Amino acid sequence: MTDPIKIDAFQLEGFRAYLKPQSFPLRRGKKALSLAVFAPNAKGKSALIDGFEFYFSDAAMLKRLGKRTMDRMAGRIAMEHVNARQKGLVPRVHFHFRQGKDVFDDERLVPAGERDVKPPPPAAARVLDNCILPFIIRGYELRGFVEEMTPEQRYAEISSWFGLEPFLEIQGNLRGLRRQVKEKAESTADRQERLRDLERITAKAVKAWDEAMVCTWFNDNVLADLDKTLKFAAISDNDPGYITLKERKAAEDETVGLATLKRILGQTVALYLSPGEEGEEPEGAIVAFESAITVHTAAVAAEEMERAKASQNVFSEVWKEAKARLEDPERPLKACPVCDTPFSDCPHGSLDAVKERLDAKLGELADYHTAEKNLEAAGESLTGAVQTLVNGLDTLCTSLEDTTYTAKAKPVETYRQVLEKWKAADKAPASAAAIKALIALHKAITKDKEAIEKKQGEHTYANALTKADELITLKSDLERIEQTKAEIVKLNEQLDLQALEINRSITGHTEKLIKSLKDDINTLYSDIQVDGADAPPIRLELPDQDDTNQQWIKLVIDFADNRKGVVPSGYLSDSQIHALALSLRLAAIRMFNTQAPIIVLDDVVTSYDTDHRKNIAAMLAKHFLDFQIILVTHDELFFLLLKDHLPQNAWLFRRITDIRPDFGPVYLDHKTPDEEIQKKLDGGESAANEIRQAEEEWLLDICRGFRAKVVIRPVERPYNYDRSELASALAAFLKGAGIKPPPVSGIANPFLASLQKGVVENFGSHFSDNPSAAGSIGDESARWAEFKYFRDLFACPECGKTRFMRPEPHVKPVCKKCETPFAFKVAGDD
């Protein structure tokens, strides 16, 4: 089995409440550490969890903020600290992970816009690949699974935990297929459609398929008008009557029938159609051809004329450049730029006249180009018209061969022969004789067609055969529909059996996993409750194995003997529902996220009283020692209970005491880095604020280690000791313990007295109403050097460490590591 993934460290910079970079190491030697953070509200604790959510989010966002600013959503912009860009910081979150000996990390930048959104970095993707469940649990989202999810949504959720998505997809596909097959098996739409065709073919004489009735109708209403002795015994292409009908249709085709006449009429109309009413124009291929010749001739003439006018087009580029030079407003001209002749003395008489002449020349060129394009278009149109006319003439002449109309069509044939030799430069061939012949031909054929129609109407062997073929196809379709329906019924029965088998397998497997999960949920839930023995049993119920149409999971409890299998929200208190939701999520994570045993908890104790808080702390200590937990809370009692119940060697406990707009959340053990102060001083910037913060941080830390006595702060600012009272308390303690600090070079008074006043720091960091007053970088640099010298004196004389403690009943502090009594080094000690 591969080693699980743990977090080595993470950093936030320019992200939410965190402006300056802050790192959170989560490793001590070979051991991964969990982290608990306490902070009052609005001090930046949830921003820490936001960093986790953003880093592992598919869409690089926080769900509650949305992708963009709209309605109640703040969008991604709200993930940036408001001063990040101003300070030149790029908002980012960086995580470092470890899996056995493999160390890997990646940072993720907050996208400036939708185009900058990228998928989770490879390190995040690797962690997510080893997680089945989301491991971030926020208190305000906990109740969703218990109270808000439908049984179907809960089934999909838990099935995803079990890795059953492929089986669910199979179930869903099978259910959809079975529904379609069932609908198809029960549908009569195809059959009804074909029966409507039967009614249409038989003029509503036959409404339901009965082959004998159909044959009778066909013999009496179709064949009798042609030959009363011709009969169909069956609607089939093998029936003797059908074979005879097919033979007679072929014989009919050899003579000129209605179909042929109608086709020839259409061909004559395509060539020339006389105007039907006064004022209408003739139409057809001959008219289109002659019109195309007229247009082409005009285009040739226009092109020749414009070409002559634009014969000087070789000067086109020169004229364009001259026009641009003459119209340049930044370099006005009074004389010709070539010969220096004033424009008033030139042949045109003025600059404006020269411009007009240039415009005219350039206009002639434009007209020529237009005429050239028109000629090209006219040529293409003429070519198409010629081809259409030739094809139409060929088709008509071919259709008239071996007919009685051949003699009438001789002028048409002559026109076609002339057209074959015609060229684009020639005049249009004479078409009057051909048009006259086409009109006469159209009249003669129309007369013959009407005579045939009057004699036999539409009763032809061709029409009879077409109707017979329709009936044969309809019969075949009805037989195919019935056969298909029978096969679909069989398929539906097989699909039902397969769905039942698959459902039984999935349900059986899911029930085993749910039983393990349910037992774990009940254990955790009982441990959280004040009286675990009274915790109502929780059940996750699946539908019956034989029910292949349902996919749901009911979450119910046995509240009492007469209230079994009831909905939790109807009987449990707010804290019990919260405990149930927390137990369910933790149990699922413990069961499924074994390769990435990480849990992130954001304020999950909002609904609990003291006893429940204590039980949650004990539950984490009892069941989740193998997990790396990152937990934030605004509940100080819960934080203290965690410190009491959880092993100190596996947990870090940090407290946010303040939040600074120019820095971010300030933790109790926060130290302003020396490098930050020195960098500002070296860059010529004032570092008075940072020096004052560093002094206060060190004084608070050393006073805590020495257990110096300070005035108890008001409850609303329990940690906001200022520098003067801390320096006074330290001075009083050292004096009472008989410890005299060495002097600092350049300062006659005790340095702690100087720290109480902080003249240089205050002058540089506080507003002064004296306009001539200004801080000095040199003074700040000197002050910083003095403070560091004094601070570094507080070191163990034995091991050099700077952390101290004063256990009872010691009067003097001792080194926290080697327990050597504290004392300042004196000259000559080295």
Side-chain angles (χ1 to χ4, degrees):
M1 184 176 178
T2 57
D3 293 316
I5 296 174
K6 294 291 182 73
I7 303 171
D8 266 5
F10 64 96
Q11 296 89 34
L12 305 175
E13 178 181 349
F15 181 84
R16 298 290 286 161
Y18 290 81
L19 178 60
K20 297 290 182 66
Q22 290 203 50
S23 296
F24 298 85
L26 295 179
R27 191 168 192 82
R28 185 183 296 134
K30 295 183 178 181
K31 190 173 185 62
L33 301 176
S34 294
L35 172 67
V37 175
F38 162 74
N41 287 325
K43 288 293 188 290
K45 66 181 185 305
S46 289
L48 197 97
I49 307 303
D50 289 342
F52 278 80
E53 183 181 345
F54 161 69
Y55 189 79
F56 291 102
S57 163
D58 286 339
M61 57 176 277
L62 301 182
K63 190 167 90 174
R64 72 178 187 278
L65 299 182
K67 294 181 179 180
R68 56 185 66 86
T69 303
M70 58 185 299
D71 299 330
R72 292 178 295 172
M73 295 291 189
R76 292 192 180 95
I77 188 68
M79 291 192 294
E80 295 185 9
H81 191 285
V82 292
N83 295 327
R85 305 289 176 179
Q86 177 185 348
K87 297 289 185 181
L89 301 173
V90 179
R92 71 186 74 205
V93 178
H94 197 145
F95 272 83
H96 301 258
F97 301 97
R98 183 184 299 267
Q99 187 171 24
K101 296 182 179 180
D102 184 12
V103 177
F104 57 101
D105 72 289
D106 270 309
E107 70 175 8
R108 192 174 199 182
L109 307 183
V110 175
E114 196 67 29
R115 293 183 178 180
D116 300 318
V117 175
K118 297 179 181 178
R126 178 170 168 181
V127 175
L128 292 172
D129 287 343
N130 284 273
C131 292
I132 295 176
L133 271 79
F135 51 80
I136 301 174
I137 303 176
R138 292 188 182 266
Y140 64 86
E141 293 179 335
L142 266 178
R143 305 160 66 97
F145 188 91
V146 175
E147 291 191 310
E148 297 174 9
M149 277 192 179
T150 65
E152 292 78 10
Q153 290 171 329
R154 199 176 290 124
Y155 183 87
E157 176 83 2
I158 289 185
S159 297
S160 69
W161 299 354
F162 297 154
L164 298 178
E165 291 98 330
F167 299 103
L168 290 184
E169 188 174 353
I170 292 173
Q171 271 188 319
N173 291 340
L174 264 177
R175 188 180 298 106
L177 181 59
R178 287 169 55 223
R179 182 170 56 251
Q180 293 176 15
V181 169
K182 187 172 184 294
E183 290 174 355
K184 194 73 175 174
E186 295 174 351
S187 174
T188 61
D190 290 347
R191 180 176 178 79
Q192 292 302 320
E193 182 180 353
R194 303 310 288 139
L195 291 179
R196 284 193 292 272
D197 290 340
L198 176 63
E199 288 189 51
R200 174 182 55 78
I201 295 170
T202 62
K204 296 185 178 181
V206 183
K207 296 183 179 182
W209 183 262
D210 182 311
E211 191 163 2
M213 289 180 62
V214 174
C215 285
T216 300
W217 175 87
F218 187 74
N219 293 336
D220 294 346
N221 294 275
V222 177
L223 296 180
D225 291 326
L226 297 169
D227 183 352
K228 294 186 182 298
T229 64
L230 184 59
K231 303 282 186 182
F232 269 30
I235 304 299
S236 168
D237 53 6
N238 293 320
D239 184 78
Y242 178 86
I243 296 171
T244 301
L245 176 62
K246 195 171 182 180
E247 291 172 350
R248 291 187 182 181
K249 187 265 181 187
E252 183 182 72
D253 288 343
E254 293 181 4
T255 64
V256 179
L258 280 175
T260 302
L261 295 181
K262 289 177 181 178
R263 185 175 69 255
I264 295 174
L265 282 175
Q267 292 167 358
T268 62
V269 167
L271 289 169
Y272 186 83
L273 176 63
S274 299
E277 298 180 4
E278 187 177 350
E280 290 185 353
E281 296 293 331
E283 300 176 11
I286 294 175
V287 176
F289 167 62
E290 292 178 348
S291 296
I293 291 176
T294 302
V295 173
H296 183 261
T297 302
V300 170
E303 190 273 341
E304 290 175 350
M305 181 181 68
E306 293 299 335
R307 180 159 24 96
K309 288 165 60 179
S311 59
Q312 294 178 326
N313 62 0
V314 69
F315 298 109
S316 172
E317 295 301 322
V318 176
W319 289 339
K320 289 179 181 178
E321 291 295 329
K323 179 176 172 63
R325 179 67 182 88
L326 292 175
E327 294 179 347
D328 187 351
E330 296 182 359
R331 295 185 294 173
L333 296 174
K334 295 182 179 179
C336 175
V338 178
C339 62
D340 291 330
T341 302
F343 286 114
S344 59
D345 297 338
C346 72
H348 297 292
S350 68
L351 175 60
D352 290 338
V354 173
K355 290 179 182 178
E356 289 178 5
R357 181 61 177 164
L358 278 174
D359 288 339
K361 288 293 185 182
L362 290 171
E364 290 174 2
L365 289 178
D367 292 340
Y368 169 69
H369 291 313
T370 301
E372 191 176 32
K373 289 181 180 178
N374 290 341
L375 176 59
E376 182 180 354
E380 292 175 357
S381 178
L382 179 58
T383 300
V386 171
Q387 190 62 48
T388 300
L389 178 57
V390 170
N391 292 341
L393 291 170
D394 287 344
T395 302
L396 177 62
C397 291
T398 301
S399 299
L400 293 175
E401 289 178 359
D402 301 326
T403 68
T404 57
Y405 308 109
T406 305
K408 289 182 171 35
K410 284 185 178 180
V412 177
E413 175 63 30
T414 302
Y415 181 69
R416 182 182 70 166
Q417 293 171 358
V418 172
L419 193 64
E420 288 177 352
K421 300 177 181 179
W422 179 86
K423 296 180 181 179
D426 299 341
K427 294 181 180 180
S431 60
I435 290 173
K436 185 177 180 181
L438 286 170
I439 294 172
L441 188 63
H442 187 274
K443 288 181 179 179
I445 295 175
T446 300
K447 182 178 179 182
D448 292 345
K449 178 178 79 71
E450 291 173 351
I452 294 174
E453 287 175 343
K454 186 176 181 180
K455 179 180 179 181
Q456 69 174 25
E458 293 296 326
H459 299 295
T460 64
Y461 287 107
N463 287 345
L465 183 62
T466 299
K467 200 170 288 288
D469 287 337
E470 277 190 284
L471 290 170
I472 291 171
T473 300
L474 193 149
K475 175 186 175 183
S476 175
D477 287 347
L478 288 171
E479 290 174 349
R480 175 183 52 78
I481 289 170
E482 289 303 315
Q483 292 172 356
T484 302
K485 189 171 183 178
E487 292 298 321
I488 287 175
V489 170
K490 292 180 183 178
L491 175 61
N492 190 46
E493 293 172 354
Q494 291 297 319
L495 288 174
D496 284 344
L497 292 175
Q498 290 181 23
L500 183 61
E501 187 63 29
I502 291 172
N503 195 65
R504 284 175 176 171
S505 300
I506 293 175
T507 304
H509 179 63
T510 307
E511 281 179 340
K512 291 179 183 178
L513 293 173
I514 284 181
K515 183 179 184 303
S516 300
L517 179 62
K518 180 186 67 176
D519 293 343
D520 208 9
I521 294 170
N522 279 310
T523 298
L524 298 181
Y525 180 76
S526 297
D527 285 353
I528 293 175
Q529 295 305 301
V530 177
D531 185 359
D534 294 331
I538 302 160
R539 298 208 308 271
L540 293 166
E541 294 186 346
L542 285 163
D544 187 84
Q545 290 186 350
D546 293 342
D547 187 350
T548 58
N549 294 311
Q550 301 295 323
Q551 282 185 327
W552 49 257
I553 290 181
K554 289 181 180 178
L555 176 60
V556 296
I557 60 170
D558 293 335
F559 187 73
D561 290 341
N562 62 344
R563 292 291 187 277
K564 292 188 176 182
V566 295
V567 179
S569 58
Y571 294 87
L572 298 184
S573 68
D574 189 68
S575 67
Q576 288 175 319
I577 291 175
H578 211 81
L580 175 57
L582 180 61
S583 303
L584 195 147
R585 286 294 302 277
L586 290 176
I589 289 174
R590 190 167 72 158
M591 175 179 285
F592 298 111
N593 286 12
T594 55
Q595 286 304 104
I598 300 166
I599 301 175
V600 179
L601 302 173
D602 178 21
D603 257 342
V604 294
V605 295
T606 53
S607 299
Y608 300 118
D609 57 22
T610 303
D611 290 335
H612 282 89
R613 293 183 182 97
K614 177 174 66 66
N615 289 349
I616 290 175
M619 179 267 291
L620 293 175
K622 179 179 178 182
H623 297 288
F624 291 92
L625 287 179
D626 293 336
F627 275 74
Q628 187 177 32
I629 299 175
I630 288 79
L631 180 153
V632 301
T633 180
H634 72 281
D635 189 315
E636 188 169 15
L637 177 57
F638 180 53
F639 181 72
L640 296 174
L641 289 169
L642 289 171
K643 292 183 72 172
D644 188 43
H645 283 78
L646 297 170
Q648 300 293 310
N649 66 337
W651 279 77
L652 294 173
F653 297 93
R654 301 191 66 185
R655 182 188 293 263
I656 300 176
T657 59
D658 193 13
I659 184 166
R660 299 176 188 163
D662 60 343
F663 177 76
V666 178
Y667 287 81
L668 184 62
D669 56 351
H670 172 75
K671 295 291 186 295
T672 301
D674 288 3
E675 296 79 10
E676 181 179 337
I677 297 173
Q678 196 61 52
K679 182 179 179 182
K680 295 192 76 171
L681 292 173
D682 291 344
E685 295 182 60
S686 173
N689 273 319
E690 288 77 7
I691 293 173
R692 177 172 52 77
Q693 289 172 7
E695 291 170 349
E696 290 177 354
E697 292 160 1
W698 175 78
L699 283 167
L700 182 62
D701 189 54
I702 202 71
C703 285
R704 185 180 292 115
F706 284 8
R707 286 178 48 224
K709 295 179 180 180
V710 294
V711 177
I712 297 176
R713 308 302 299 158
V715 68
E716 65 271 10
R717 30 195 314 267
Y719 307 106
N720 291 348
Y721 295 100
D722 59 43
R723 182 186 52 216
S724 62
E725 60 185 321
L726 291 171
S728 297
L730 181 58
F733 171 78
L734 293 175
K735 183 177 180 181
I739 304 172
K740 184 178 181 180
V744 174
S745 177
I747 298 180
N749 297 317
F751 188 74
L752 284 173
S754 177
L755 273 182
Q756 291 179 45
K757 298 177 183 178
V759 174
V760 174
E761 303 93 300
N762 290 343
F763 193 81
S765 61
H766 291 70
F767 172 77
S768 173
D769 56 4
N770 182 357
S772 64
S776 167
I777 304 301
D779 288 344
E780 292 179 12
S781 296
R783 180 62 172 179
W784 177 236
E786 292 166 357
F787 171 70
K788 287 196 296 180
Y789 171 79
F790 183 73
R791 179 192 66 185
D792 294 344
L793 293 174
F794 287 77
C796 174
E798 184 66 30
C799 67
K801 298 297 182 182
T802 58
R803 303 301 295 272
F804 300 94
M805 61 181 178
R806 186 165 67 87
E808 293 290 350
H810 288 64
V811 176
K812 291 186 177 182
V814 298
C815 176
K816 204 166 187 177
K817 181 179 182 183
C818 65
E819 299 188 0
T820 299
F822 172 76
F824 290 109
K825 288 185 178 182
V826 297
D829 282 356
D830 294 334

